[in-house]
């Protein structure tokens, strides 16, 4: 199952930790006394049937105001997935009803007696305090693990060092696998042969090289998941696809699974994706030389050959998981080290034309056409428009498509026509961009508003202003066609 997590979730607390609080005086009087029982939340209800209001994992507190059929009551609580029942003694009952005790034993639900001096609010406060302490401990553990992984990535042997650090943090084994499940490097305690075979099978499920997952609708399919998990012989297994075209997979085998382990693994995935990315033909020396030439006044046409390609595609992207490594990981996945994480949340990437931009999980991409270095400025604009269109249409990737009509005029003639045609809007970039987006989306107010991140009424006002300044009927298809052609050359 595909998973993503930017931060560890709040850990549940053991039921035994709550029972150990002497100030509460809670006592378990029925049900299993398993050390692994945990509580995820607290809920108080005096409903005769609280089933519709339970999410699962709760400690349900009740004084039995509407308790009529204890067996049905407990069976419904168990069906809802509640972790335990806390029954308050007084004011309704002087003792916990024997029928309720028997029902909890019969259905396997832990039953806690809440003594008269202890309020339900005190129990709830204790649960939240224990959960806050557990979350603090987990956040501290995850932070320390992130720091350890970052330090390992800076060592001379970074890949084995990251695997060793990760294995120690999860208390098991971390292994780098090829797409076919072949073990390339490993660290930590090796699991059983059956668990290793199961992990190899998981490696074949995730990543870009895996077959798509069929959908229920005939003829459609979802992309292969980026992560998958399983349990074999009590060992928790997880596989994570690394970014890039090599199809590498990070595998984890651990005796247990803490709430923050997925976050720790996510950091390792990003680091290993960068560390194992294939050489792209754009080394540090070439990039430095190109930068120096640009700073000293050279044009793109002169600096671009140092980067190893004659034609380029510009990619604009939005999304990611909110980590500092998002932009670099996206660049590695697309196959380019030329990444610019712009301050507005958009990531811009220069991609050699011989590498095709593909959709990436968690990202929305706008892709320009392939151009020569001197035309990169115009391609950057087209990539931005493609990204706006992708966001408006909720698409993972939109490519700019050229038209053969543009070849009928020279660029100089087309640009002159565009300036004259759109001169009334020259002093308002917002009107120009709104008109461009509105025309590209076939006059849809809602989709234009979504693409520009403004209210639909703002779009209507701007388009009305455009029509007035241009003195044109924007409902006329011929007018729209002429304006769209002009906007492409503005």
């Amino acid at each position: 199952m595909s998973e993503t997590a930017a931060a560890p979730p709040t850990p549940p607390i053991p039921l035994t930790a709550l029972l150990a609080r002497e100030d509460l005086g809670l006592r378990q009087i029925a049900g299993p006394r398993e050390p692994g029982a945990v509580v995820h939340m607290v809920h108080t209800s005096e409903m005769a049937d609280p089933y519709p209001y339970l999410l699962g994992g709760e400690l349900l507190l009740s004084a039995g105001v509407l308790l009529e059929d204890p067996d049905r009551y407990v069976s419904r609580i168990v069906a809802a997935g509640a972790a335990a029942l806390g029954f308050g003694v007084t004011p309704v009952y002087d003792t916990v009803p024997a029928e309720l005790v028997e029902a909890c034993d019969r259905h396997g639900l832990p039953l806690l007696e809440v003594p008269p001096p202890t309020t339900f609010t005190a129990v709830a406060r204790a649960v939240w305090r224990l959960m806050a302490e557990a979350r603090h401990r987990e956040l501290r553990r995850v932070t320390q693990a992130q720091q350890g992984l970052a330090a390992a990535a800076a060592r001379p042997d970074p890949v084995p060092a990251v695997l060793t650090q990760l294995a120690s943090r999860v208390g098991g084994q971390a292994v780098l696998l090829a797409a076919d499940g072949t073990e390339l490097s490993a660290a930590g305690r090796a699991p059983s042969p059956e668990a290793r075979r199961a992990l190899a099978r998981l490696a074949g499920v995730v990543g870009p090289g895996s077959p798509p997952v069929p959908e229920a609708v005939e003829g459609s399919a979802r992309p292969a998941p980026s992560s998958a998990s399983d349990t074999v012989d009590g060992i928790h297994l997880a596989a994570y696809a690394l970014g890039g075209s090599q199809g590498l997979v990070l595998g984890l085998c651990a005796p247990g699974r803490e709430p923050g382990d997925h976050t720790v693994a996510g950091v390792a995935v990003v680091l290993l994706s960068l560390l194992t990315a294939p050489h792209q033909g754009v080394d540090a020396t070439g990039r430095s030389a190109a930068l120096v030439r640009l700073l000293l006044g050279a044009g793109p046409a002169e600096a671009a050959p140092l980067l190893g390609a004659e034609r380029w595609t510009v990619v604009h992207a939005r999304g990611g998981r909110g980590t500092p490594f998002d932009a670099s990981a996206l660049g590695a996945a697309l196959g380019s080290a030329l990444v610019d994480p712009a301050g507005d949340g958009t990531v811009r990437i220069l991609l050699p034309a011989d590498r095709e931009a593909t959709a990436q999980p968690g990202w929305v991409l706008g892709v320009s056409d392939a151009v020569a270095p001197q035309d990169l400025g115009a391609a950057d604009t087209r990539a931005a428009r493609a990204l706006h269109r992708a966001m408006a249409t909720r698409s993972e990737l939109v490519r700019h498509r050229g038209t053969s009509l543009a070849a009928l005029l020279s660029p100089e003639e087309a640009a002159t026509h565009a300036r004259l045609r759109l001169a009334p809007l020259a002093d308002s970039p917002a009107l120009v961009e709104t008109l461009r987006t509105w025309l590209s989306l076939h006059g849809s107010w809602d989709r234009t508003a979504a693409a520009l991140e403004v209210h639909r009424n703002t779009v209507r006002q701007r388009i009305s202003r455009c029509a007035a300044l241009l003195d044109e009927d924007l409902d006329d298809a011929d007018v729209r066609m002429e304006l769209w052609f002009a906007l492409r050359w503005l």
Side-chain angles (χ1 to χ4, degrees):
M1 179 177 65
S2 178
E3 299 177 301
T4 58
T10 300
I13 62 166
L15 188 59
T16 53
L18 192 61
L19 290 169
R21 292 284 299 261
E22 295 182 358
D23 57 322
L24 297 178
L26 303 179
R27 184 169 64 97
Q28 183 171 353
I29 59 176
R33 290 169 168 77
E34 299 174 353
V38 295
V39 173
H40 290 265
M41 65 192 82
V42 179
H43 181 69
T44 300
S45 174
E46 296 300 339
M47 302 288 293
D49 180 12
Y51 177 95
Y53 305 96
L54 299 179
L55 299 176
E58 300 94 338
L59 168 60
L60 177 63
L61 299 175
S62 174
V65 174
L66 298 179
L67 181 64
E68 298 177 354
D69 185 347
D71 187 82
R72 183 179 184 279
Y73 180 77
V74 172
S75 67
R76 294 287 285 170
I77 295 174
V78 172
L85 172 64
F87 193 86
V89 177
T90 68
V92 182
Y93 291 90
D94 294 331
T95 61
V96 180
E99 296 86 353
L100 184 63
V101 174
E102 294 171 359
C104 287
D105 278 330
R106 185 162 50 252
H107 292 282
L109 178 69
L111 175 62
L112 312 185
E113 179 189 72
V114 183
T118 302
T119 65
F120 286 176
T121 300
V123 176
R125 186 183 294 118
V127 170
W128 299 130
R129 182 174 292 122
L130 289 169
M131 294 182 75
E133 293 171 356
R135 179 168 175 79
H136 177 72
R137 289 193 300 270
E138 189 65 6
L139 284 172
R140 183 170 56 190
R141 184 182 76 88
V142 170
T143 299
Q144 293 172 347
Q146 291 173 331
Q147 294 171 346
L149 289 169
R155 292 186 52 179
D157 54 341
V159 172
V162 168
L163 292 175
T164 299
Q165 181 69 211
L166 181 59
S168 67
R169 295 293 178 177
V170 301
Q173 185 186 49
V175 55
L176 184 63
L177 302 168
D180 60 357
T182 303
E183 187 174 297
L184 303 177
S185 181
R189 299 192 303 272
S192 65
E194 184 177 354
R196 294 175 66 180
R197 287 192 294 269
L199 187 61
R201 289 193 295 271
L202 283 182
V205 172
V206 302
S210 305
V213 179
E215 285 279 12
V217 179
E218 185 177 354
S220 63
R222 292 182 287 108
S226 59
S227 66
S229 60
D230 198 0
T231 301
V232 175
D233 294 336
I235 300 297
H236 295 267
L237 308 176
Y240 302 85
L242 301 188
S245 59
Q246 293 178 295
L248 300 180
V249 175
L250 169 64
L252 290 179
C253 306
R257 184 172 178 82
E258 298 297 328
D261 284 350
H262 186 69
T263 303
V264 174
V267 175
V269 167
V270 173
L271 291 173
L272 291 171
S273 296
L274 298 174
L275 294 171
T276 59
H279 180 65
Q280 305 295 343
V282 183
D283 58 17
T285 302
R287 290 196 298 273
S288 298
L291 176 60
V292 169
R293 293 198 185 186
L294 287 172
L295 291 175
L296 294 179
E302 182 182 345
L306 297 173
L307 302 177
E310 296 181 357
R311 294 177 65 79
W312 298 86
T313 298
V314 182
V315 178
H316 280 216
R318 277 184 174 268
R321 299 181 179 180
T323 72
F325 309 104
D326 283 346
S328 298
L330 177 62
L334 293 177
S336 176
L338 302 175
V339 180
D340 173 26
D344 63 351
T346 300
V347 177
R348 301 192 303 173
I349 298 175
L350 279 182
L351 194 63
D354 61 351
R355 298 191 182 101
E356 182 178 2
T358 57
Q360 300 296 321
W363 291 92
V364 178
L365 305 182
V367 184
S368 77
D369 48 336
V371 299
Q374 60 269 24
D375 297 323
L376 282 172
D380 182 54
T381 301
R382 293 194 288 270
R385 295 172 189 164
L387 176 60
H388 282 157
R389 187 172 180 83
M391 295 174 64
T393 58
R394 302 181 185 274
S395 303
E396 292 183 341
L397 184 149
V398 168
R399 302 181 191 275
H400 171 80
R401 300 296 186 187
T403 62
S404 58
L405 182 61
L408 298 178
L409 292 176
S410 68
E412 295 79 11
E413 291 174 328
T416 300
H417 169 75
R419 286 193 298 271
L420 293 174
R421 190 73 172 80
L422 299 170
L425 308 182
D427 295 333
S428 180
L431 291 181
V432 173
E433 189 59 26
T434 301
L435 180 60
R436 187 196 314 277
T437 305
W438 183 72
L439 289 173
S440 73
L441 296 174
H442 310 293
S444 170
W445 307 109
D446 291 332
R447 290 162 64 190
T448 302
L452 297 176
E453 299 180 347
V454 299
H455 196 274
R456 69 194 307 269
N457 289 341
T458 302
V459 176
R460 288 184 178 274
Q461 293 169 1
R462 290 181 182 177
I463 295 301
S464 296
R465 183 63 176 160
C466 289
L469 291 174
L470 295 169
D471 192 21
E472 295 282 7
D473 179 7
L474 297 186
D475 290 330
D476 189 311
D478 289 335
V479 172
R480 292 194 187 194
M481 179 187 68
E482 292 177 7
L483 291 175
W484 177 248
F485 180 85
L487 284 166
R488 292 191 64 247
W489 291 98
L490 187 64

